[in-house]
Every structure is written in structure tokens, then in C-alpha cells.
Amino acid sequence: MPSQSVLVIGGGLAGLASAVVLAEAGLEVRLLEKRPHLGGRATSYTLPDGSEVDNCQHVTLGCCTNLADFYRRVGAEGKVRFYDRLCFVDRHGRRSTMRASALPPPLHMAPSFLTFRALTLADKRSIARAMLTIARAGGAPADIEGISMLDWLHRMKQTPGAIERLWRVVLVSALNEELARMDARYGIEVFWKGFLANRTGYRLGIPSVPLGELYEGCRDGVIRRGGQVRLRSGVRGITVRENCFASALLEDGTEVAADACIAAVPHDALLGILPEEMAGSGGPLEGLRHLRTSPITGVHLWFDRTVMTDPFFALLDHTTQWVFNKSLLYAPREGGGAAVKPGTGASQAEGRDGQYLQLVISASYDLVPRSRQEIIDLCRRELAEILPATREAKLVKSTVIKEVNATFSPEPGVDRWRPNQETGVHNLFLAGDWTRTGWPATMEGAVRSGYLAAEAALAVMQPAAPRRKFLQPDLPFEGLSSWWAQRRE
Ligand SMILES: Cc1cc2nc3c(=O)[nH]c(=O)nc-3n(C[C@H](O)[C@H](O)[C@H](O)COP(=O)(O)OP(=O)(O)OC[C@H]3O[C@@H](n4cnc5c(N)ncnc54)[C@H](O)[C@@H]3O)c2cc1C
């Protein structure tokens, strides 16, 4: 029997995830990506001087089980290192560390919170109350439907210090939105899955190579099984006939047909390539027009000397939220491990003794209208307070990457605008972090959407075969959290 073919449009994580599992399932996969590289919004570029930079530092958490599964499938697992100490630095340079203790969840982080130097006793008491409310409800406290995280924190009588120095710091980075514009359900889930439900959910995974190198195994995984990965192949339109996907028209005028299609492009791009009866007013995907986006700014600084010894830390009370020491993160570990290829980001521009730092500012609305120079000056002033060595250091090179539409905004009630992976058109499916996954706009959400779309496509294409499952379970609940989670079910 000739193998069935599937067309995947978009080579971001959602498209790659569905392409890889469908190729493994024996389908002939053709992946079309508009840009000259894979990875979409989680990618790296080569600068004119030859050094490679990520569009922005990307991190994962221990609770992102589907992303971990994807990295395993494509052989990138060893290129992501996990860190179990999270360091926070306040305006006085005081450091606080979060790490799991031997206590059973949800108490395993309690000693870190108790010794968190940037929080007062009153802050800690209010945080303990709110955490207990989340844990005892198994991650789903009552009456949070449609309210913002800030409303819920006020309801939980959180002190201003607790809001600014804990909730805001963790959640604005995790969800790329301000607390007042963030659905409480998403904010609460971050703490439940990351910090309360089990011991390892909070561990921070950071690539030890430029992002583009994580996808090297994807192309191979598809091509080795008889498929194709075509770059610089933008799709201009999708044709649907008699409620079936018929073909995709490429920008170069060629037409590609397949037994099924997964459209894994950003939601605004999708509206531009779908037939009017699906995307237009009154169509089933009209709701996508209500999804708003929020910006992230990445600031890349190359110094002529060593200015930082930690691998990364979060900044409290500053515009800059996270500082990543790319030179150290890319450095080979003792006894082997991943290292950047010669000529990539860390090794080149800064010279032998220099250092490459990447700063991240999520929900960076205030920075969007500011000039690159203003942003660099602001970041340097803030770094000078925390890392005195930067005051004397020479800035060898710098770049600012503003991703104005970085992710969809997880506004209260946003899920009503997020469509399922099935479209109602028999063999046309959707994938993308913006589809309905229960997750916010993250790499994990993108991979989940890709796996769900692939499951749905196989169910339609091979109705007689047993249902395939690619979606991975969450980390198991542990300790008291497991008991509270069971009571919820
Ligand atoms: C600056 C920034 C920082 C982030 N930080 C993190 C982080 O630390 N951790 C985390 O988990 N997530 C982070 N995210 C979010 C994460 O990058 C996204 O959620 C995820 O990469 C989205 O993947 P996707 O496949 O859904 O979409 P995309 O990555 O947008 O992929 C869509 C692909 O479709 C292609 N395409 C578009 N139109 C066409 C067309 N007509 N024809 C063919 N191809 C087309 C695009 O070129 C793109 O490659 C960040 C995002 C940004 C922008």
C-alpha cells in the first residue's frame, strides 16, 4: 500500500513536533517552512560577523514533559542542561536562592521561601497562605473563572512585597504578561505544576547550544523516513473542496496536494492563508482575531572581560528580569558535554577573556517605543548596580531584538478564542501554541499542539487502526499534593 502523505505548513516547534511523530508513524511527511531556518519563534540567527545568537533566550521547566519528549525523539536531550538552584538578586545585591529541600511536596520549597532575603515576614506569611490555598485545591481553587491573577492575589490578601518580589517576578517571565492582564488560572497553574505538585517541576532547563542546533535531528528524522523538509517555501493559500483539504499554493506558484494537512503557522498568518469561509467574519476561526499579543525584548551584550560568575539569575526591582551568562551556559562541562561549535555566539565576538550576556524583559510594552541605544543604556545602568565589573568593562558589541508579537496574551477568558486542533474540515488540522492545549504560549504548548494535531490526523487517516497517543502525561503528583490532587478529581 503506498504510504499516506501529510503536509505540515510551518517549521516552528508545533510543526516540527507533528512532522517528527507522523514520520515515525510511517506517513510521508512534507514540511514547508517560509524562512531559511527551522525553529520559528524559538530560533537562532547568524549575525554579519558570523556569531550565532538566539532571537531570545528560551528556557524550559521540569514540568514541560512534552518538550522533553520531543527533544529526546530528535536527539537534542543532551543539549539542554537542567539547573535546580534559581538565584534572585534584589536592588541591594542581596541574593536569595530557591531550590527543593527533602520535605515532601508541596512543602519542598518552603525552606527556600522562608529564607528568601528579599521578602519580609509579612510577605512570606501571605505567600504561604496563597500557596496552601492552591495546593489544597489540587491546583484548581474555586471561583477563578475569568478573573485576572492580580484580582486573585488581592483576594488572597497578598502584600505588595509578595506581589512584586515573588508573584510578578515568576509569572511575568513565565506567561509574558502583566499580572492585571493574565488569566488567574494560568498564573495558578504555573505555581501548581512548577512549585507545588512535585519536586522537580521547577527545575530550569537551558540549552547549552544556540537554539537552531536543537532542531538538527528533526530534518533527519523526517528525511530518513522518506519525507521532505523544504525551507524558503512559504504557503500563500490553502484550498478546501467539499469540506476536504485539497492543496496548498506556494509563494512560487507551485501547488502541493496531500492526504492531510496540518497548518502550524502563527494565528495571524493562518488567517491570511485560509479560505474566506473559514477565517472571515462568521467563519469558525473568526475568534482568532480577538487574540492579542505581547512583546518580549532580548538584549545581547558582549563585554571584553568576565563580569559575571553565575550561569544566570533573576533581577528583582529592575526593568531587566533575567540575566543569562551565555559564555558559561555554552561552555563545555567538566568530563565532556555540549559545547558551542567554533564560530558560534559565545566563542567569537567577545574574544578569549570576554563574556556574552543575554538579558530578557518579558511583557516589555514600555520598551517597544524606545530606541535600541536607550534600552542598552538602561540595561547597562541596571547591570552596573548588580555586577560592578560591568562598570569598567568595555562593551565590544551589542544587539537588541524586540519581538513585538512574541506570544499571544493569556488574558482572562482567552481560551474561548483558542480553537481545537480539529477544524471541522475533514483532513485539515491546526497546530501552534495558540491552539487549545490548556497551556500558555510556550515551547511546551507548541509541542503539545503538534502532538494533538498529529493524533487527530492519524485518527482520520487511519480510522481502523488503534488510536495513537503522542501526548505525554504531566509529572506525577507527589507527597501531600498527590492526595490533594486526587480529592479534586
Ligand atoms: C522572544 C521570545 C522569547 C520566548 N521565550 C520562551 C521561553 O523562554 N520558554 C518557552 O517555553 N517559550 C518561549 N517563547 C515562546 C515560544 O517561542 C513559542 O511559544 C513557540 O516557539 C511557538 O511555536 P509555534 O510552532 O507554535 O509557532 P512559531 O514558532 O511561530 O512557528 C510558526 C512557523 O510557521 C512559519 N510560517 C509562517 N507563515 C508561513 C507560511 N505562510 N508558509 C510556511 N511557513 C510559514 C514561520 O516562519 C514559523 O517558522 C518565547 C517566544 C519569543 C518570541
Side-chain angles (χ1 to χ4, degrees):
M1 192 175 88
S3 62
Q4 293 172 301
S5 63
V6 62
L7 182 68
V8 177
I9 307 174
L13 274 159
L16 290 172
S18 48
V20 165
V21 293
L22 287 175
E24 284 174 5
L27 266 61
E28 185 200 326
V29 174
R30 257 170 292 167
L31 186 140
L32 304 177
E33 165 54 49
K34 184 164 127 167
R35 294 201 246 174
H37 48 254
L38 298 175
R41 275 171 283 154
T43 195
S44 45
Y45 311 103
T46 306
L47 293 179
D49 70 359
S51 51
E52 198 173 345
V53 295
D54 294 345
N55 64 325
C56 188
Q57 178 68 54
H58 274 63
V59 301
T60 177
L61 290 176
C63 58
C64 296
T65 50
N66 286 273
L67 183 64
D69 176 75
F70 170 76
Y71 286 149
R72 255 193 310 276
R73 284 177 193 268
V74 301
E77 184 189 13
K79 298 176 182 173
V80 177
R81 288 182 194 142
F82 278 87
Y83 296 81
D84 54 14
R85 285 164 58 94
L86 311 185
C87 180
F88 297 78
V89 185
D90 72 9
R91 99 159 62 81
H92 310 292
R94 285 183 309 196
R95 284 158 176 267
S96 306
T97 304
M98 266 200 224
R99 72 181 307 183
S101 70
L103 293 173
L107 303 174
H108 59 298
M109 303 304 282
S112 291
F113 283 119
L114 287 173
T115 54
F116 204 93
R117 297 172 71 196
L119 296 169
T120 66
L121 198 59
D123 298 335
K124 290 172 188 171
R125 263 205 302 263
S126 75
I127 292 167
R129 239 187 356 258
M131 294 288 181
L132 201 60
T133 302
I134 298 175
R136 291 178 67 166
D143 302 328
I144 56 168
E145 196 67 30
I147 67 165
S148 78
M149 191 63 194
L150 193 60
D151 288 341
W152 188 77
L153 293 174
H154 287 151
R155 192 190 283 174
M156 288 289 115
K157 303 203 171 8
Q158 296 300 285
T159 59
I163 293 177
E164 276 310 301
R165 303 222 178 81
L166 180 79
W167 297 102
R168 189 170 185 282
V169 174
V170 173
L171 291 177
V172 171
S173 315
L175 298 176
N176 189 29
E177 191 48 285
E178 286 299 340
L179 297 174
R181 298 193 228 186
M182 174 190 295
D183 194 315
R185 187 179 75 76
Y186 282 119
I188 288 167
E189 285 253 305
V190 169
F191 276 88
W192 168 243
K193 290 191 171 153
F195 293 94
L196 296 167
N198 57 67
R199 196 180 294 286
T200 52
Y202 77 101
R203 295 173 72 224
L204 200 67
I206 308 183
S208 53
V209 295
L211 287 167
E213 286 184 34
L214 297 175
Y215 313 119
E216 283 170 352
C218 297
R219 197 187 314 250
D220 186 51
V222 171
I223 294 171
R224 194 159 29 95
R225 296 179 173 93
Q228 291 176 13
V229 174
R230 289 169 59 183
L231 304 176
R232 296 188 175 88
S233 298
V235 167
R236 201 195 298 163
I238 287 176
T239 308
V240 171
R241 267 188 226 113
E242 294 171 12
N243 205 36
C244 280
F245 163 78
S247 62
L249 178 66
L250 272 61
E251 275 159 8
D252 66 7
T254 52
E255 221 170 341
V256 183
D259 296 314
C261 172
I262 296 178
V265 300
H267 69 277
D268 50 346
L270 181 77
L271 292 172
I273 61 174
L274 279 182
E276 176 64 16
E277 62 273 19
M278 293 183 77
S281 152
L285 294 170
E286 184 194 7
L288 284 179
R289 293 173 201 280
H290 297 280
L291 285 185
R292 288 193 325 108
T293 54
S294 42
I296 302 181
T297 300
V299 180
H300 303 247
L301 304 174
W302 286 263
F303 290 100
D304 66 342
R305 64 194 76 176
T306 299
V307 292
M308 174 173 175
T309 50
D310 308 73
F312 62 89
F313 53 66
L315 274 184
L316 309 175
D317 317 310
H318 289 83
T319 299
T320 307
Q321 293 156 355
W322 285 87
V323 182
F324 293 89
N325 179 347
K326 298 292 278 187
S327 300
L328 198 56
L329 293 167
Y330 283 164
R333 275 194 168 164
E334 263 170 47
V340 280
K341 289 177 184 165
T344 51
S347 57
Q348 253 196 351
E350 87 255 16
R352 216 149 46 100
D353 305 316
Q355 210 166 40
Y356 168 28
L357 307 188
Q358 217 245 271
L359 284 53
V360 182
I361 303 120
S362 297
S364 57
Y365 294 99
D366 293 347
L367 297 186
V368 171
R370 295 173 76 167
S371 73
R372 283 173 165 66
Q373 193 55 51
E374 278 180 288
I375 294 172
I376 290 167
D377 293 345
L378 169 75
C379 291
R380 281 213 70 177
R381 277 197 302 278
E382 295 195 338
L383 282 185
E385 287 178 26
I386 306 300
L387 297 173
T390 59
R391 292 177 202 157
E392 304 298 324
K394 185 166 163 246
L395 192 61
V396 179
K397 190 170 76 159
S398 59
T399 183
V400 176
I401 302 178
K402 294 185 201 173
E403 294 271 8
V404 177
N405 300 306
T407 61
F408 76 81
S409 165
E411 294 179 294
V414 70
D415 279 356
R416 70 188 185 282
W417 309 121
R418 298 175 71 186
N420 282 328
Q421 289 72 34
E422 290 96 347
T423 59
V425 171
H426 182 62
N427 53 352
L428 175 62
F429 305 91
L430 304 177
D433 58 358
W434 47 272
T435 59
R436 194 167 291 183
T437 61
W439 274 67
T442 51
M443 297 187 286
E444 169 72 8
V447 172
R448 279 179 181 247
S449 76
Y451 284 178
L452 288 169
E455 286 176 9
L458 274 180
V460 164
M461 296 170 84
Q462 303 177 350
R467 288 288 299 240
R468 292 292 299 264
K469 196 119 185 72
F470 302 119
L471 197 69
Q472 302 299 306
D474 285 337
L475 289 179
F477 303 130
E478 294 169 346
L480 263 179
S481 294
S482 162
W483 190 68
W484 279 323
Q486 276 165 23
R487 259 194 348 180
R488 177 183 104 173
E489 281 155 11

